[in-house]
Structure formats: C-alpha cells, structure tokens
Amino acid sequence: MTTIRTSEDPSVRWAKLFAKLYYCMAKEMIDALGPEEGKKAVAAAIDKFGRARAASMKEEAAERGLPPDGKATYDAVREMPGIGWSFIPEGVAACPLNDVWQDLGSEGRELGALYCEIDHVLLNSFQVGLERNFCLTHGDDYCQFLYREAAPSDTSGEA
C-alpha cells in the first residue's frame, strides 16, 4: 500500500488515510453484500456523504451571504484542500486519493472510481453540472472537469 510519512504535508497524509479507510470500508461492503449489492451500497453511501457535505457547504455560503448556487459559490466554500493535488486547465493531473487506489491495483481503481462520483453530487447540489470523460481512476492522464450550469431540477447527483 502507499506509504504515509510524517514528513508529508498533513493535508496529503489525511487524504491518503481517508483513501485507505474508504477502500477498506467499500471492499468490506462488497465482500459482505456481494459485488452488485455491495457496489449499490457504496454508491448510496457516497451519495449520502456528498449530500451531507453539500449541506454544510451551503450553510457556510448562507452565513457568508453568498448566492445559494453556482460555480463561484461552490469554489468559495469548497472544503477540500488543494495541497497534494496537481491542477491543470482541463482538471486534475494528480490526486493523493488516486495514488492510494492505483497502488491497490484494479480493485482499488474500481472502488476509487465509485468514490469520484461524489464530484457530481457536490456540484449538482450547487446547480452545476459536471461532464467527466477522463478520470485518473480509469487510467486516464487526468480527471476532466467540464462544468455546465444545471437545470434547476438537476440535483440528483447525476451529471
């Protein structure tokens, strides 16, 4: 598994620890429930977690007097650190979560891809759609982030 060292930035260490915890929990759910039901349970948990994160972010936006929706508001209250991620104009070229999942092989990448769906949930909560044709967990060179304003009823977490 990916090494975690005290010499790394705390944000990177926590991201890697989170990725390992997520992997272990998701794998246990799939092992206990079977592939089909386990993946459904993992997806439901990611959706629930994303909605809870979005609710907290929206609460902060209201406290700060920001508009309730839109990409600018999402960016202003995004609670994930940028340290450890490498950003390019098209999206993200490196991610410490993906580093862990890559080291766990095909199963790590597959479970990591399930987690990455959280981006759709979060952005759709702010009425912003996301199109992602490329993702590190699928073996691509980067995670693509193409944004679009979502229809007002587009809050399902689907892009």
Side-chain angles (χ1 to χ4, degrees):
M1 287 182 107
T2 300
T3 58
I4 299 173
R5 298 291 182 255
T6 57
S7 59
E8 292 178 296
D9 182 276
S11 296
V12 174
R13 287 196 318 259
W14 276 105
K16 288 180 178 180
L17 286 168
F18 174 82
K20 286 183 178 186
L21 173 63
Y22 164 77
Y23 170 81
C24 290
M25 293 180 79
K27 183 168 177 13
E28 185 63 29
M29 290 171 73
I30 290 169
D31 289 348
L33 300 172
E36 185 176 335
E37 291 304 312
K39 287 177 186 175
K40 284 182 188 176
V42 170
I46 294 304
D47 184 74
K48 185 179 256 186
F49 179 50
R51 289 177 188 276
R53 282 180 58 193
S56 177
M57 293 164 70
K58 284 185 158 285
E59 183 178 285
E60 181 182 351
E63 290 168 359
R64 292 172 55 185
L66 299 171
D69 294 318
K71 178 76 167 52
T73 298
Y74 171 82
D75 288 343
V77 296
R78 182 176 176 267
E79 79 285 56
M80 290 291 293
I83 299 168
W85 280 257
S86 175
F87 298 94
I88 58 174
E90 299 82 9
V92 174
C95 164
L97 303 172
N98 181 64
D99 293 345
V100 170
W101 297 328
Q102 290 295 327
D103 285 351
L104 293 165
S106 61
E107 187 173 44
R109 290 187 296 275
E110 182 180 0
L111 295 178
L114 292 175
Y115 181 79
C116 291
E117 291 301 309
I118 200 165
D119 293 326
H120 295 280
V121 176
L122 292 170
L123 286 158
N124 281 335
S125 294
F126 285 85
Q127 302 303 318
V128 178
L130 171 64
E131 182 180 337
R132 179 179 288 149
N133 298 308
F134 305 102
C135 188
L136 291 165
T137 59
H138 294 140
D140 296 314
D141 292 335
Y142 66 96
C143 291
Q144 182 181 48
F145 283 79
L146 294 176
Y147 303 105
R148 62 173 171 75
E149 292 300 313
S153 63
D154 188 6
T155 59
S156 66
E158 298 296 320

